[in-house]
Amino acid sequence: MKNIRNFCIIAHIDHGKSTLADRLLEITHTISERDMQAQVLDDMDLEREKGITIKSHAIQINYQQPVDAGSSNHVKGDEYILNLIDTPGHVDFSYEVSRALAACEGALLLVDATQGIQAQTISNLYLAIENDLEIIPVINKIDMDGAMVEEVKDQIVELIGCKPSEILLASAKTGLGVQGILDAIVERIPAPEGDPQAPLQALIFDSVFNSFRGIIVYYRILNGSIKKGDKVKFVSTGVEYEADEVGVLKLTMDPKAEVKTGDVGYIITGIKNAKEVRVGDTITLASNQTPAMIQGFQEVKPMVFAGIFPVNTDDFEELRDCMDKLQLNDASLTYELETSQALGFGFRCGFLGMLHMEIIQERLEREFNQTVITTVPNVSFIAHTTKGEEILVNNPAQMPDPVRIERIEEPYIKAQIITKPDYIGNIMTLCLGKRGILINQSYLTTTRVELVFEMPLTEIVFDFYDKLKSQTRGYASFDYSPIGYRESDIAKMDILLNGDKVDALSALIHRSRSQDFGRKLCEKLKELVPRQQFQIAIQAAIGAKVIARETISAMRKDVTAKCYGGDISRKRKLLEKQKEGKKRMRQIGNVEVPQEAFLAVLKLDD
C-alpha cells in the first residue's frame, strides 16, 4: 500500500489536463507508441470534436522511479502504482470532478501560464480542499509566447499560500518538466490509509453500461480487499451479486485475481438493472453483517430542467431504456416521467447546465440512435399557496392557479467572474441587465479582477455564458454556486394557436421580461408554423391577458379566376362563399406545430 498514489488533475477548461495525462502515460510507457494519440483518455467522439472532457477517466500507471531521482527518504528505484483520474474542466461537469476527488488523496492543480488563475480553477481547488487533498500546483504551457510565469506564480502563492519553490513548471505539449511532476506525486501525495484485514468497504465513484457484460462498476477500496468469485453486497440497495471479474483500469480493463486496499478497480457482476447501482454507494462482502456506508458523498443538485420527448410516441419505451443506460454513465442526469398534450409521453430531466443538456441530447442521438424533442429549459421555483403549502415547480404545468398563489420564490446563484480590468464596464452592463446585484469587486493582480454577483439562475440559463465570452473577447471566466431561493415576480406565459394552448411551449418567466420574450417567440413561430387554408392567430398570454400576437395569413385560392367580366355581384358572391368556408375550416382545423418550432425556442436571439 505504501507504494500506491491516487491522484487527479483539476483545472479550468482548456488549461491542458488531458494533454498532461497523455504525457504522463507516454513517459511511464503505460501506452505503446502505436496506441498513442492526442486526448487518449477521451474516448467519446463528442469529447474529441469539442475538445473538452465530459467524463472523468481513471487509469493505472506503473512508475519505476529513476535511481538518481527523489529524496533520501525513499529507496531509489522503487516501483509505484499511480492511479490517475483525468477530470472535466467545464462548470457543467463539476459533479464528475467532485466524484473523482472522493477517490483520491492528492490533486495536480494545473494553471495555464498564458491565462492565469480562472474561475473554475478556484472552485475546483475549493472542492479539493474540502476533500482534504494534498495539492500540487503546476504551471503549464510555459513554452508559449504569452507565458506570464512569474505573475501566475504570485497568483498561486496568494491563492494557496504555498512557497514559490513548491510550484512546478511544465509544458504538457512538449513533455518539459513532466518527470518532475511524477517525482512530486511520489514525494508529496500521501499513500492511501486503510486496514487490509478489515471487512471490505469500497466507494463506487462511476459506472458504465456494456451491452454484452451488463453494468461495470468502478470503485476505490478503502478497507479490505475483493477477490474474483466473492459474493458482494451493495449497501444502499441491499442486493447481492457474485464478482464474475475484478481488476484494475489500464487503457482497457485488466483482470486480476484480487484488488487490494487503496486500489482503484472495476467489478463485473452481470447486473442488468440500472436502478441497482448508485454512484456514492458502498460495496461490501455479503458475509459482512454490519455494513457501514462511506459518508460524505454529495447527491447531485440539478440546475436546469427540460422535457425530453420522443419524436415518435411509439418509441417511448425504447427511450426509457436509453435514459436508464445513459444515467449509469452520467450520474448527474436525473429524470422523471412527464406527459404533454402536444408531445405525448416523455421525461422531465434535470441537468447541471445548458452544455450538459446539449451533450445529453447529442449522446441520445449518437449512442442510442434516438431523435428527441427538447422543450424550453427552466429552473425549479417554489410556489407558496394561500393555504400555507410549499409546492416545488419544475415544470410550467405544475404551477398552481394564480388565485391560490401567495408568493413565488426563484433560485439565486453567486456568480464569480474573473477578467481583465478593461472589460469591467461590459460585464456590469450584462449582469445588471440580467437582474444581477454586485456584491464584491477585488483585484487579484493589477491585470486581473474578480467580480462577484448575486443573480437569478433563470437569467443565466439561456445565453449568458455566450454573451459573457463575446463581451470580453473570451477573456472572462465564469463559475457559479447556488445560494438559495428568494421571492420574485414570476408569471406563467402560455402560447396559444387559434385559442388552443400548446403546453410544451409554456414558460415560467419574470414578469418584466415576459412581453419581450412573448413577442420574440410569436415572431419566431410565425416563421416556422406552416400556412394553412385559414388564418392562424399566435398569441402569448399571461392568464387571460394577451401580451403579444402575430397572425399567419391564410393561403388563398383565386376563386374569381373564372369570372371574366360580368356584374361585380358574381365575384362578391364567390368571395363571400369562400369566407364562410374559411370560417368553418378555422373552427375544425388543427394546427400542427413542427419540431423546429420547439427547438427554435432554445435559440431565441436578442
Side-chain angles (χ1 to χ4, degrees):
M1 252 172 66
K2 68 179 189 346
N3 284 10
I4 295 175
R5 301 286 182 271
N6 296 319
F7 71 101
C8 59
I9 307 176
I10 54 173
H12 188 83
I13 190 166
D14 213 20
H15 279 208
K17 292 177 296 302
S18 297
T19 314
L20 178 61
D22 289 353
R23 291 296 82 74
L24 291 172
L25 298 176
E26 199 172 59
I27 284 181
T28 54
H29 305 296
T30 305
I31 291 181
S32 64
E33 281 183 33
R34 192 180 63 183
D35 293 333
M36 196 62 212
Q37 55 176 336
Q39 283 175 267
V40 71
L41 292 179
D42 294 348
D43 47 15
M44 243 185 272
D45 294 346
L46 265 173
E47 292 180 312
R48 297 185 167 284
E49 281 167 31
K50 293 182 180 286
I52 58 173
T53 303
I54 294 167
K55 283 280 300 163
S56 293
H57 297 275
I59 189 165
Q60 190 176 92
I61 301 171
N62 290 74
Y63 172 53
Q64 180 86 38
Q65 197 176 31
V67 175
D68 58 349
S71 67
S72 57
N73 54 358
H74 277 289
V75 179
K76 305 291 190 288
D78 278 3
E79 185 166 321
Y80 291 91
I81 293 171
L82 312 180
N83 289 311
L84 152 69
I85 304 179
D86 177 27
T87 64
H90 197 282
V91 61
D92 280 14
F93 306 111
S94 56
Y95 188 56
E96 288 283 329
V97 181
S98 72
R99 300 207 321 267
L101 293 171
C104 294
E105 276 86 29
L108 296 179
L109 179 72
L110 217 57
V111 182
D112 185 334
T114 60
Q115 302 277 343
I117 282 174
Q118 292 188 283
Q120 204 58 33
T121 318
I122 295 175
S123 76
N124 281 342
L125 172 70
Y126 289 159
L127 271 176
I129 291 170
E130 273 172 36
N131 281 285
D132 207 16
L133 265 60
E134 178 66 37
I135 311 288
I136 300 178
V138 180
I139 298 179
N140 190 22
K141 307 189 186 180
I142 57 167
D143 57 329
M144 288 184 74
D145 294 342
M148 313 171 289
V149 178
E150 291 308 314
E151 197 178 314
V152 177
K153 259 189 187 176
D154 294 345
Q155 290 176 20
I156 294 175
V157 169
E158 206 167 310
L159 181 68
I160 307 178
C162 63
K163 298 190 184 88
S165 58
E166 291 174 8
I167 300 169
L168 304 176
L169 304 180
S171 163
K173 200 165 191 178
T174 60
L176 180 71
V178 176
Q179 184 64 52
I181 293 174
L182 281 167
D183 291 332
I185 291 165
V186 168
E187 297 293 334
R188 297 198 213 168
I189 293 176
E193 292 174 5
D195 182 358
Q197 307 307 320
L200 171 68
Q201 207 183 21
L203 172 74
I204 298 176
F205 67 89
D206 208 351
S207 57
V208 291
F209 182 79
N210 182 308
S211 45
F212 300 108
R213 311 202 65 180
I215 295 160
I216 302 168
V217 177
Y218 298 159
Y219 55 83
R220 151 80 199 276
I221 298 185
L222 298 189
N223 292 307
S225 64
I226 187 168
K227 299 183 183 71
K228 184 179 176 177
D230 277 352
K231 203 167 175 62
V232 295
K233 181 178 182 179
F234 292 81
V235 177
S236 69
T237 52
V239 291
E240 295 181 6
Y241 280 101
E242 192 172 304
D244 296 339
E245 183 178 309
V246 296
V248 294
L249 298 153
K250 298 281 185 162
L251 189 58
T252 53
M253 292 181 295
D254 184 12
K256 298 273 185 210
E258 183 179 16
V259 183
K260 296 175 182 167
T261 311
D263 256 336
V264 173
Y266 71 90
I267 179 171
I268 299 173
T269 55
I271 306 172
K272 290 287 189 283
N273 183 359
K275 297 278 182 288
E276 290 175 12
V277 176
R278 285 182 49 215
V279 166
D281 194 2
T282 304
I283 305 176
T284 186
L285 294 175
S287 56
N288 182 6
Q289 293 306 310
T290 54
M293 281 286 285
I294 297 165
Q295 298 306 315
F297 204 81
Q298 291 181 332
E299 279 291 312
V300 61
K301 295 186 186 73
M303 292 287 200
V304 177
F305 294 87
I308 285 186
F309 294 86
V311 171
N312 190 346
T313 45
D314 299 343
D315 297 340
F316 171 72
E317 283 301 329
E318 198 180 326
L319 180 63
R320 186 204 294 251
D321 287 347
C322 297
M323 294 294 280
D324 276 350
K325 289 170 189 171
L326 192 55
Q327 192 182 32
L328 275 173
N329 208 309
D330 184 348
S332 47
L333 170 68
T334 57
Y335 65 90
E336 57 191 34
L337 287 175
E338 181 183 42
T339 52
S340 153
Q341 293 165 351
L343 300 170
F345 289 105
F347 299 96
R348 189 89 199 149
C349 301
F351 307 98
L352 295 181
M354 289 297 277
L355 177 66
H356 187 210
M357 177 175 138
E358 193 185 312
I359 295 290
I360 291 291
Q361 204 175 334
E362 280 269 339
R363 287 184 70 183
L364 279 170
E365 288 184 10
R366 289 185 186 204
E367 294 172 29
F368 301 101
N369 211 11
Q370 292 288 317
T371 316
V372 293
I373 296 173
T374 312
T375 63
V376 191
N378 63 279
V379 301
S380 56
F381 300 90
I382 294 177
H384 293 264
T385 62
T386 46
K387 288 183 180 174
E389 300 168 321
E390 272 192 18
I391 299 171
L392 187 68
V393 181
N394 290 335
N395 179 353
Q398 295 170 338
M399 183 67 103
D401 196 20
V403 186
R404 289 175 48 217
I405 297 174
E406 188 180 295
R407 68 181 195 279
I408 296 175
E409 294 179 346
E410 68 173 329
Y412 264 69
I413 56 148
K414 181 179 166 190
Q416 181 188 35
I417 298 167
I418 295 178
T419 185
K420 290 188 170 182
D422 320 7
Y423 304 114
I424 292 177
N426 293 1
I427 292 173
M428 292 279 196
T429 312
L430 174 66
C431 293
L432 297 176
K434 297 273 189 189
R435 297 191 284 134
I437 306 157
L438 180 66
I439 299 299
N440 190 15
Q441 176 181 334
S442 58
Y443 280 82
L444 301 173
T445 64
T446 49
T447 57
R448 195 154 283 262
V449 62
E450 179 189 38
L451 301 167
V452 179
F453 288 90
E454 285 185 359
M455 298 171 73
L457 181 59
T458 333
E459 298 290 344
I460 68 157
V461 161
F462 277 101
D463 52 0
F464 178 78
Y465 195 67
D466 300 343
K467 284 209 176 108
L468 179 68
K469 284 292 181 193
S470 58
Q471 298 271 2
T472 59
R473 300 187 187 170
Y475 276 111
S477 63
F478 168 68
D479 183 46
Y480 64 85
S481 55
I483 52 172
Y485 285 78
R486 295 183 189 175
E487 192 172 337
S488 190
D489 188 9
I490 299 292
K492 180 186 174 188
M493 188 183 78
D494 292 309
I495 296 292
L496 295 91
L497 292 181
N498 276 351
D500 294 332
K501 284 183 188 175
V502 182
D503 61 348
L505 291 174
S506 298
L508 296 168
I509 192 163
H510 195 265
R511 208 176 288 272
S512 63
R513 293 286 161 91
S514 57
Q515 201 160 355
D516 190 34
F517 184 74
R519 193 173 64 250
K520 279 187 201 157
L521 193 46
C522 289
E523 284 168 7
K524 198 80 175 170
L525 286 172
K526 185 181 178 181
E527 292 169 23
L528 294 165
V529 174
R531 285 174 72 186
Q532 306 284 345
Q533 296 278 337
F534 52 91
Q535 191 183 57
I536 302 171
I538 302 171
Q539 294 166 309
I542 292 177
K545 185 185 175 187
V546 174
I547 54 170
R549 172 178 170 138
E550 291 288 336
T551 307
I552 300 175
S553 52
M555 288 194 290
R556 295 194 59 150
K557 183 180 170 190
D558 189 1
V559 287
T560 58
K562 57 189 176 195
C563 295
Y564 48 94
D567 190 27
I568 186 70
S569 61
R570 286 177 65 205
K571 283 188 179 178
R572 196 167 289 143
K573 189 175 168 187
L574 285 167
L575 289 168
E576 286 297 322
K577 192 176 171 187
Q578 183 187 31
K579 199 170 166 187
E580 283 297 314
K582 291 212 180 293
K583 202 171 173 184
R584 194 167 64 252
M585 207 185 276
R586 187 175 172 186
Q587 285 169 351
I588 60 167
N590 269 337
V591 183
E592 284 289 317
V593 184
Q595 187 184 339
E596 294 84 63
F598 296 106
L599 301 176
V601 184
L602 308 180
K603 297 186 171 67
L604 277 182
D605 295 321
D606 279 0

